[in-house]
Amino acid sequence: MMRKLWLMALVLTLALSLTSCAKRKAFNLSAAYGYSQCDGNNWSFDVYLFRSQTQTGAFDLVIMPVSIDTQGDIASVTIGNSQLGYKQLVNQVVLNDGQEINAGMLSSADLINYPILAITAFDPTTNFVSSSPGKSSYCYLPNPGDGVSQNQFQYYQP
């Protein structure tokens, strides 16, 4: 019980610090891609959001591991919000530096409803809200148009 309360407090604190208790800005749905960095205590990622080539109004989420302290770590990829709502995108994936992770397709509603990206150590015994991973990275999902410049595609070229 104490572990669950501690985790809920941690997630709430993280969510409030990421949101600064404010609404996210509106994003440019016509932008071709968005980019952000996602750094954690043991892992670091570049996060790309590309306009889907196959489904109108959807976006492909691609995660590129930049720095993994232990190659071969197994992680889960989840999006969530400050109300403890979440949607798991990838149950388990092996992490290696420079090995692209295709995390799936997101709708514009997903971007609005689940603005937080959580890459956490895989734990088959519990769900995302109940887990307390030692290795993790939390950040905002990039919106279309975020981080757009000539130099942003450091690791990934579509």
Side-chain angles (χ1 to χ4, degrees):
M1 182 65 166
M2 186 63 153
R3 180 178 171 186
K4 186 174 182 176
L5 290 175
W6 177 85
L7 177 64
M8 290 179 67
L10 174 69
V11 170
L12 184 59
T13 301
L14 173 68
L16 290 176
S17 68
L18 287 174
T19 61
S20 300
C21 298
K23 288 188 174 189
R24 276 190 92 181
K25 63 180 179 166
F27 52 88
N28 179 1
L29 285 175
S30 64
Y33 73 94
Y35 165 82
S36 67
Q37 293 178 327
C38 193
D39 299 322
N41 52 354
N42 296 92
W43 301 330
S44 180
F45 302 91
D46 284 345
V47 181
Y48 299 93
L49 188 70
F50 295 101
R51 178 169 301 291
S52 175
Q53 301 283 322
T54 60
Q55 187 172 342
T56 304
F59 300 89
D60 294 319
L61 180 62
V62 176
I63 301 168
M64 182 63 69
V66 175
S67 176
I68 304 300
D69 69 339
T70 306
Q71 299 298 310
D73 277 346
I74 301 175
S76 296
V77 178
T78 307
I79 54 176
N81 59 35
S82 60
Q83 292 80 34
L84 301 180
Y86 69 95
K87 179 178 180 181
Q88 188 169 53
L89 301 177
V90 179
N91 184 37
Q92 55 183 331
V93 63
V94 177
L95 302 178
N96 290 299
D97 286 345
Q99 186 175 343
E100 175 184 308
I101 301 165
N102 183 350
M105 195 175 296
L106 303 176
S107 67
S108 56
D110 288 335
L111 295 175
I112 292 167
N113 293 324
Y114 304 108
I116 299 168
L117 173 65
I119 305 169
T120 57
F122 171 68
D123 182 354
T125 64
T126 188
N127 66 28
F128 174 71
V129 174
S130 300
S131 68
S132 58
K135 294 182 179 184
S136 58
S137 293
Y138 296 93
C139 59
Y140 272 128
L141 280 170
N143 283 323
D146 286 354
V148 176
S149 78
Q150 294 297 331
N151 300 327
Q152 292 301 319
F153 287 135
Q154 300 167 10
Y155 298 99
Y156 186 81
Q157 284 290 330

